[in-house]
């Protein structure tokens, strides 16, 4: 493990949320266009706390998704400014908590804070760990020429190039075909 479980989970969720945009989703559609899709994503990632389940919350989370995609692509120093802004805007106050089947981990907002705010603050807290460890380069965009999915490279030597085995295999087949043509 490179980072704590909550950091890895927060980064994984941030990537999954960011990858619901049409240009990065598996379906090619916006996979966050309904409140049901949002609920499904939150359930899949076991995201705790308040959920309103309404159109306003969906719009706020979609705006958070845009902000996270932009944050993902920043270099380390620029990411610091954005992370600090996210934490200041939310008046984040990190605290250790234990709930459900999770051991001690950090929450920096109240559990009844709006969902989009909690999403952004949890991502910001995970980014704090990446920045402090000088590991921001582990946040990647898939190298496949037809994919813009985001992912966290958790390999030991930070050598992962594709978001999935599917993208890696597809690019290997293309390279093979180009060599043999």
């Amino acid at each position: 493990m490179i980072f704590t479980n909550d950091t890895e989970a927060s980064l994984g969720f941030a990537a999954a949320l960011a990858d619901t945009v049409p240009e990065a989703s598996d379906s090619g559609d916006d996979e966050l266009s309904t409140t049901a899709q949002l609920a499904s994503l939150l359930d899949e990632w076991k995201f705790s706390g308040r959920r309103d389940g309404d159109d306003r919350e969906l719009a706020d989370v979609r705006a958070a998704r845009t902000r996270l995609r932009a944050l993902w692509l920043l270099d380390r120093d620029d990411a610091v400014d954005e992370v600090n802004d996210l934490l200041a805007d939310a008046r984040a106050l990190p605290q250790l908590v234990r709930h459900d089947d999770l051991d001690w981990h950090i929450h920096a907002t109240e559990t009844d804070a709006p969902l989009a705010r909690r999403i952004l603050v949890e991502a910001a807290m995970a980014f704090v760990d990446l920045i402090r460890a000088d590991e921001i380069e582990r946040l990647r965009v898939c190298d496949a020429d037809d994919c813009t999915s985001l992912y966290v490279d958790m390999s030991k030597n930070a050598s992962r190039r594709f978001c999935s085995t599917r993208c890696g295999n597809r690019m290997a087949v293309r390279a093979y075909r180009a060599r043999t043509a």
Side-chain angles (χ1 to χ4, degrees):
M1 178 184 344
I2 298 169
F3 300 104
T4 61
N5 289 337
D6 58 328
T7 295
E8 289 184 13
S10 293
L11 292 171
F13 175 77
L17 174 62
D19 285 346
T20 61
V21 296
E23 60 272 17
S25 71
D26 288 338
S27 66
D29 297 325
D30 186 336
E31 294 178 348
L32 192 62
S33 57
T34 68
T35 57
Q37 288 173 317
L38 174 58
S40 178
L41 180 68
L42 296 171
D43 290 344
E44 178 183 345
W45 284 89
K46 298 179 179 148
F47 208 90
S48 63
R50 171 182 157 192
R51 295 188 196 181
D52 297 336
D54 58 18
D55 289 336
R56 180 186 172 120
E57 182 177 70
L58 177 62
D60 290 346
V61 172
R62 288 170 55 93
R65 171 182 69 177
T66 300
R67 200 164 178 188
L68 287 174
R69 281 193 74 82
L71 174 59
W72 202 274
L73 303 175
L74 295 176
D75 66 30
R76 185 177 184 215
D77 291 339
D78 292 333
V80 168
D81 294 334
E82 180 67 12
V83 165
N84 284 339
D85 287 346
L86 288 170
L87 295 173
D89 290 348
R91 294 188 201 106
L93 180 61
Q95 298 177 26
L96 288 168
V97 296
R98 193 189 278 167
H99 60 85
D100 302 320
D101 60 345
L102 301 173
D103 199 5
W104 291 111
H105 60 283
I106 295 176
H107 280 205
T109 60
E110 307 83 22
T111 57
D112 63 345
L115 178 60
R117 181 184 309 156
R118 287 184 290 117
I119 288 170
L120 289 170
V121 168
E122 285 198 21
M125 292 299 294
F127 270 73
V128 166
D129 286 348
L130 285 172
I131 292 165
R132 289 175 59 216
D134 196 16
E135 294 284 353
I136 199 107
E137 74 279 352
R138 289 185 176 273
L139 302 178
R140 307 253 172 95
V141 178
C142 185
D143 274 356
D145 56 12
D146 58 350
C147 182
T148 62
S149 286
L150 305 179
Y151 67 96
V152 184
D153 181 357
M154 289 295 180
S155 65
K156 276 187 173 182
N157 61 358
S159 62
R160 189 171 155 198
R161 295 181 45 224
F162 302 103
C163 68
S164 66
T165 304
R166 187 187 66 181
C167 277
N169 288 345
R170 195 173 65 251
M171 295 309 293
V173 167
R174 286 183 188 169
Y176 172 78
R177 288 180 180 160
R179 282 191 312 269
T180 59

